[in-house]
Amino acid sequence: MSVPLAPLELLERSRRGETVDAESVAYFVRNWFGGGATDAQMAAWCMLACLQGLDSAAVAALTAELIATGDRLDLGSLGPTGDTHSTGGVGDTTTLVAVPIAAALGVRVAKMSGRGLAHTGGTVDKLEAIPGYQADLHLADFVRQIKDVGCAVISQTDRLTPGDKRLYALRDQTATVQSAGLIAASIMSKKLAGGASAIALDVKCGDGAFFATPEEARHAAELMVSLAEPWGRTVRWMATDMSQPLGGAVGNALEVRQAAAVLRGAGPPDLRELGLRVAAELAEASGVAPVGDGLARAEATIIDGTALAMAERWVEAQGGEPAVWTDDDALPSAPIRLDVVAPHDGWLAALPARALGEAARRLGAGRLHPSQNVDPAVGLELRAKVGHAVTAGEPVIVVHARDMALAEACVANLATRIVVSQTQVAAPPLIVASDA
Ligand code: URA
């Protein structure tokens, strides 16, 4: 029987680029969670994973060990169950649209989300912009709510993938998010422990995503599919554009308003399209809609108001103010508004997602320090998207801020980032690859 490497030996070998066996990786992760390896050692390993990559055996070992840090839910008695996850983007509030639509269609949606990571927003931070919303439910209440209401969205807890909760925060503060293996293990540990049988993955690619190209996104998607295979789950995936933010806002309450507008039958077309597609994938993969029929059925839940009614029941069940879906004033708003304007007439050619995500984080919509409280009200409102015609002096971005100096610095920064072309520019396609 082989003896697993000690944490220090594993780090030394990994640094030299030597292969490390999966058993040693599992032993390392188990030790770290149990206190036998330090956070410094885990951070060093994560940095090596970002710089050198992880082989698929190491990713599988990490995923299994993260799942083993907590309980696993068995949702078998609830009927068709679904879960969805994005690999991380800017303005990506798809979950707030897709979850109530899928639940209105009859999928029992059991979703565990995370907070903002690096320059990307996190679903839990967005939901916590809703006054009263409790993301930290006891597991029994989580399951009861899925059964009684149809859906629930929580954060990682001390009972369900607590290892991912700790590792997620460690990666965020050490700039070690950007590794396909670490992202795949983080997401799939939550999805597999959460127990849903159908999983829809939105793998983002482009400037503001953790994957640069559709090919990198496909590779990450296939890795996640392979992690789910031994568990008998059905995984569907799409790779979607993140060269510019999704929708019309970056920032927590601002994004909840966008999701609410979509559920009321309006809102940004790209957010609406993606929310509907994710819900349709869940409906088809879980068997509540025949293949090919999911999208039409998903659209019908917006038209007949059942998705909106589901959103109200869901948020109310988790202690939140249900009026956020119909009354924009029920959400916090920031006192300062400053415009970033188009420098001349033309077509918006670049609205770089990473720069906008970083700018929103600097305003306080995300964290630059682990103990920082997120400000739910601040962020960016996007008045135009790539391909839109703009005229000189027209606001392209409205900065929502609490502090004038930060607001002015943000405007000065973003004025140098947006690009207006004098020749017509096409909007980028939203869905760039899929398993279909
Ligand atoms: N979402 C997660 O849950 N984990 C990651 O690492 C990235 C996105």
Side-chain angles (χ1 to χ4, degrees):
M1 206 180 88
S2 65
V3 177
L5 297 170
L8 185 61
E9 293 171 321
L10 173 136
L11 287 171
E12 288 168 344
R13 288 201 191 186
S14 303
R15 193 199 58 223
R16 293 196 295 264
E18 294 170 20
T19 305
V20 170
D21 61 288
E23 196 195 335
S24 294
V25 171
Y27 179 75
F28 172 61
V29 178
R30 210 175 310 138
N31 256 285
W32 163 73
F33 190 69
T38 64
D39 273 0
Q41 290 176 317
M42 182 49 97
W45 187 71
C46 288
M47 188 58 88
L48 286 169
C50 290
L51 298 176
Q52 299 176 353
L54 287 176
D55 64 32
S56 55
V59 178
L62 172 62
T63 308
E65 290 304 324
L66 290 177
I67 293 170
T69 59
D71 295 341
R72 289 196 324 244
L73 289 180
D74 179 356
L75 304 179
S77 63
L78 297 186
T81 51
D83 191 354
T84 174
H85 214 89
S86 150
T87 55
V90 179
D92 181 11
T93 194
T94 312
T95 288
L96 274 64
V97 175
V99 165
I101 295 176
L105 288 172
V107 183
R108 302 278 176 197
V109 186
K111 171 146 173 62
M112 210 190 321
S113 287
R115 296 181 186 281
L117 265 185
H119 62 283
T120 68
T123 297
V124 171
D125 291 329
K126 296 171 214 230
L127 288 170
E128 287 182 348
I130 299 174
Y133 191 91
Q134 294 300 323
D136 196 6
L137 294 189
H138 288 297
L139 286 192
D141 294 333
F142 179 55
V143 176
R144 194 174 311 115
Q145 181 179 317
I146 297 160
K147 186 162 174 274
D148 295 348
V149 176
C151 59
V153 182
I154 58 170
S155 56
Q156 308 102 315
T157 74
D158 292 339
R159 294 270 309 276
L160 216 47
T161 57
D164 179 59
K165 185 177 181 176
R166 242 179 88 188
L167 189 56
Y168 195 92
L170 187 69
R171 288 167 59 215
D172 189 36
Q173 60 187 283
T174 53
T176 54
V177 176
Q178 200 140 354
S179 143
L182 295 180
I183 292 171
S186 167
I187 291 177
M188 295 314 288
S189 63
K190 289 191 280 290
K191 302 303 96 179
L192 297 171
S197 62
I199 299 167
L201 299 174
D202 173 12
V203 186
K204 302 273 183 213
C205 58
D207 169 72
F210 298 121
F211 305 112
T213 60
E215 293 68 39
E216 281 184 23
R218 175 182 290 278
H219 165 78
E222 287 172 355
L223 182 58
M224 289 189 274
V225 170
S226 74
L227 291 171
E229 245 155 34
W231 297 70
R233 310 288 173 83
T234 307
V235 181
R236 305 280 286 265
W237 64 268
M238 282 176 283
T240 64
D241 176 61
M242 191 33 68
S243 59
Q244 63 175 339
L246 183 70
V250 185
N252 300 299
L254 291 167
E255 291 184 44
V256 178
R257 283 196 187 90
Q258 300 269 303
V262 171
L263 294 175
R264 295 197 303 266
D270 56 350
L271 177 60
R272 175 187 163 95
E273 182 185 345
L274 194 53
L276 287 167
R277 284 289 296 260
V278 168
E281 295 287 356
L282 284 180
E284 293 183 6
S286 67
V288 308
V291 174
D293 219 17
L295 200 53
R297 291 197 187 194
E299 280 167 345
T301 68
I302 293 188
I303 295 164
D304 68 14
T306 51
L308 183 62
M310 176 58 75
E312 288 171 337
R313 286 206 300 283
W314 153 37
V315 160
E316 193 164 26
Q318 285 187 242
E321 171 53 77
V324 294
W325 299 114
T326 47
D327 175 7
D328 281 353
D329 293 337
L331 284 158
S333 58
I336 297 168
R337 313 270 159 103
L338 292 185
D339 294 341
V340 180
V341 300
H344 52 77
D345 292 358
W347 287 265
L348 191 59
L351 196 59
R354 176 176 296 272
L356 268 66
E358 288 171 354
R361 181 177 63 181
R362 182 144 268 286
L363 289 170
R367 294 173 192 79
L368 283 166
H369 185 276
S371 64
Q372 187 179 343
N373 286 326
V374 161
D375 185 334
V378 300
L380 310 172
E381 190 188 329
L382 312 178
R383 292 280 177 85
K385 299 281 301 267
V386 171
H388 290 187
V390 292
T391 52
E394 175 188 330
V396 173
I397 302 172
V398 181
V399 173
H400 291 236
R402 202 168 289 285
D403 174 286
M404 186 53 88
L406 282 180
E408 285 172 348
C410 185
V411 170
N413 168 24
L414 293 182
T416 66
R417 306 299 186 126
I418 60 169
V419 178
V420 176
S421 160
Q422 277 162 343
T423 51
Q424 193 162 358
V425 174
L430 179 62
I431 298 171
V432 296
S434 76
D435 56 1

